[in-house]
Amino acid sequence: GYWLLFHTLMANSNPHEAELLPLEAVHDWVRYFFRCRGCAEHFEEMWTATDRQGNTGARAARAGHEKASLWLWKAHNKVSARLAKENPEAPAKVQWPPLQLCTACYRPDYANGTESIVPSKWYPKQWRQPFVFAFLQQVFCHDSDTFTCANFFDPSGYRHVAPSG
């Protein structure tokens, strides 16, 4: 649904060529067009909230492609955690990506089972964000030929990611 669209927009956008920064476009769409007003208000609260590093959604939107993409990823996982908590009877809302899809996205003590992963709870300390960013680009840039998708650093060190084809 919408999250897929938003993540794909972020991954396939070149923020240096846009009149409106991609994350700001997502924010404005949610703010003005999303029919679930409670959801839009919650998104706005996340957008204006200051995290431990002093960042807000608006600051992340202007801080570069990686920070903007990671802000949206965090927001998505926080929404999933909130929904899981509010309605435990609903189908499970898990943090993404799960360990099975991206072992490198998790700190080693979580990936190897020394520390427990709670799939429905947002826990920022378990993530290795540079790897999450690389994973987001790989997943949401499938067969893309945009500059942003074609050229980014893969922190795994295995390769410089480029589009197929």
Side-chain angles (χ1 to χ4, degrees), residues 4 7 57 59-60 64 71-72 75 83-84 93 106 120 127 151 160:
L4 175 62
H7 289 299
R59 285 189 188 125
W71 185 92
L72 185 67
L83 293 174
K93 297 277 186 190
Y106 290 82
S120 61
W127 302 102
N151 294 296
H160 186 78

Side-chain angles (χ1 to χ4, degrees), residues 90-128:
K93 297 277 186 190
V94 299
Q95 299 296 288
W96 196 86
L99 184 62
Q100 305 89 309
L101 291 180
C102 185
T103 305
C105 292
Y106 290 82
R107 283 191 17 217
D109 47 338
Y110 289 89
N112 69 21
T114 304
E115 295 285 340
S116 297
I117 296 171
V118 180
S120 61
K121 185 177 179 186
W122 171 247
Y123 189 63
K125 291 183 179 182
Q126 70 190 8
W127 302 102
R128 297 193 316 171

Side-chain angles (χ1 to χ4, degrees), residues 25-163:
V26 169
H27 167 257
D28 289 351
W29 189 90
V30 171
R31 184 175 183 188
Y32 296 113
F33 299 107
F34 198 53
R35 290 183 182 221
C36 173
R37 292 316 314 152
C39 303
E41 289 167 6
H42 182 257
F43 192 87
E44 188 67 24
E45 288 172 16
M46 290 190 299
W47 182 258
T48 58
T50 303
D51 66 16
R52 291 180 183 170
Q53 290 79 36
N55 295 313
T56 63
R59 285 189 188 125
R62 290 180 170 75
H65 182 67
E66 183 174 353
K67 287 188 190 273
S69 295
L70 288 170
W71 185 92
L72 185 67
W73 162 77
K74 290 175 198 175
H76 187 178
N77 275 336
K78 289 176 184 178
V79 167
S80 294
R82 182 178 58 84
L83 293 174
K85 184 177 179 181
E86 288 176 359
N87 191 358
E89 304 302 318
K93 297 277 186 190
V94 299
Q95 299 296 288
W96 196 86
L99 184 62
Q100 305 89 309
L101 291 180
C102 185
T103 305
C105 292
Y106 290 82
R107 283 191 17 217
D109 47 338
Y110 289 89
N112 69 21
T114 304
E115 295 285 340
S116 297
I117 296 171
V118 180
S120 61
K121 185 177 179 186
W122 171 247
Y123 189 63
K125 291 183 179 182
Q126 70 190 8
W127 302 102
R128 297 193 316 171
Q129 293 185 27
F131 291 89
V132 171
F133 175 72
F135 184 77
L136 291 169
Q137 291 297 110
Q138 289 172 338
V139 168
F140 295 109
C141 289
H142 181 71
D143 287 338
S144 174
D145 61 356
T146 67
F147 176 78
T148 301
C149 285
N151 294 296
F152 73 91
F153 176 71
D154 179 354
S156 67
Y158 293 116
R159 65 185 192 282
H160 186 78
V161 178

